[in-house]
Amino acid sequence: MSKQTIDEIAARLRKAGIENARLEARWLYEDAPDEKTLAAWVKRREAGEPLQYVEGFAYFMGHRFQVDGRVLIPRPDTEILAEAAINYLEKLETPSVLDMCTGSGALAVSIARARRDAIVTAVDISEDALCVARENGADTAVRFVKSDLFAEVEGEFDVIVCNPPYLTSDDMDELQSEVRQEPALALFGGEDGLDFYRRMANELPKRMKHAAFFEVGMGQAADVKEIMQAAVPGRCEIFCDLAGIERVVMIEKPI
């Protein structure tokens, strides 16, 4: 490892306002296949492009996923959703699973890898996103469908998972510059951030056999719980992320 090169990169990133400059400098240095690539990557990162887009991948549930400007970068918080759904699936044999708003396919593919017997369908309105998701799920039997929510999706599913766009108008106005480079289609959830939950709730009674899991933004859990229980008067559970923030709402149909 060239300490001098890493020091130089870290100095440039620090000057560009990158918080974890030293750590990112080391990652860039270690991941670049050659000096030309490294130089190009550093320049892009200096300009504020997210590290995951620069390198072309992000890790989720221990797996490496391709990401670029066509998809939202998978966040560690979403692993709470994946883990909750995978744990729930333990009680079901050959479960059918729907991942709505799949984006990079991280949720659908992680579930499919954890449960090779599951029949997993992943849906997104963006064909660009689906192109990335298909590549990420090439080693699985996940079926990818282009659809505006349930419009082109038939049947019902044992478990539904969904990490929908949930940022409010105010949130969008206050986004960090790096997040502004991610697709707005995957971020904006309407004036109050709850549009997609309302639309999903309308379909749940006839689409969900057992349970549905939704990622939510900070302070949204109570509202999403109310929306879902109005549609399906069943048991509701809320899961917190590692920071103690209510991050996932689960609604389960009464037996």
Side-chain angles (χ1 to χ4, degrees):
M1 180 183 295
S2 172
K3 183 178 182 301
Q4 181 180 349
T5 302
I6 293 174
D7 286 343
E8 291 171 356
I9 296 171
R12 288 173 61 181
L13 297 183
R14 202 172 291 114
K15 187 176 180 181
I18 307 299
E19 286 188 14
N20 298 311
R22 176 74 187 180
L23 183 60
E24 291 199 15
R26 194 181 75 196
W27 285 339
L28 290 166
Y29 179 84
E30 292 176 349
D31 293 339
D34 51 50
E35 291 184 7
K36 184 178 179 181
T37 300
L38 178 60
W41 281 3
V42 172
K43 190 173 183 179
R44 289 168 61 187
R45 189 68 186 104
E46 275 184 303
E49 187 173 352
L51 177 68
Q52 294 87 345
Y53 287 169
V54 171
E55 295 198 331
F57 66 86
Y59 285 99
F60 183 82
M61 296 292 288
H63 301 290
R64 180 165 158 162
F65 288 89
Q66 174 189 330
V67 294
D68 57 35
R70 294 173 290 178
V71 296
L72 197 69
I73 298 166
R75 264 67 170 182
D77 289 342
T78 306
E79 293 188 359
I80 307 301
L81 171 56
E83 289 168 355
I86 289 169
N87 289 339
Y88 186 90
L89 289 171
E90 289 180 0
K91 66 177 78 173
L92 303 175
E93 294 183 8
T94 319
S96 57
V97 180
L98 173 68
D99 174 22
M100 186 64 76
C101 306
T102 194
S104 67
L107 267 174
V109 173
S110 294
I111 290 171
R113 287 173 177 165
R115 285 292 302 268
R116 292 288 179 178
D117 64 325
I119 303 166
V120 183
T121 301
V123 174
D124 205 285
I125 194 173
S126 167
E127 182 59 41
D128 283 344
L130 288 171
C131 286
V132 177
R134 289 188 188 101
E135 291 189 28
N136 284 325
D139 67 320
T140 71
V142 175
R143 184 172 73 101
F144 295 95
V145 179
K146 184 178 186 297
S147 177
D148 181 5
L149 296 188
F150 289 97
E152 306 298 326
V153 180
E154 297 181 355
E156 57 182 352
F157 301 85
D158 289 315
V159 170
I160 296 172
V161 297
C162 182
N163 179 17
Y166 55 68
L167 296 188
T168 66
S169 295
D170 289 342
D171 291 334
M172 294 296 287
D173 289 339
E174 298 169 4
L175 283 181
Q176 296 176 334
S177 59
E178 288 186 16
V179 182
R180 288 183 184 277
Q181 298 187 48
E182 298 185 66
L185 188 66
L187 294 168
F188 183 52
E191 186 68 25
D192 63 358
L194 302 175
D195 285 2
F196 283 84
Y197 301 106
R198 296 187 184 99
R199 293 179 63 193
M200 289 291 293
N202 290 335
E203 296 280 347
L204 281 190
K206 59 186 178 183
R207 299 292 196 155
M208 180 187 80
K209 289 183 183 178
H210 294 288
F213 295 79
F214 298 90
E215 180 169 326
V216 300
M218 186 183 298
Q220 292 179 331
D223 288 333
V224 173
K225 176 181 178 181
E226 183 178 347
I227 290 169
M228 296 306 162
Q229 286 194 309
V232 181
R235 182 177 75 90
C236 189
E237 187 172 352
I238 295 174
F239 301 84
C240 293
D241 62 22
L242 296 178
I245 297 168
E246 294 180 331
R247 185 59 65 186
V248 173
V249 173
M250 184 273 283
I251 184 74
E252 184 178 37
K253 256 185 182 178
I255 299 175

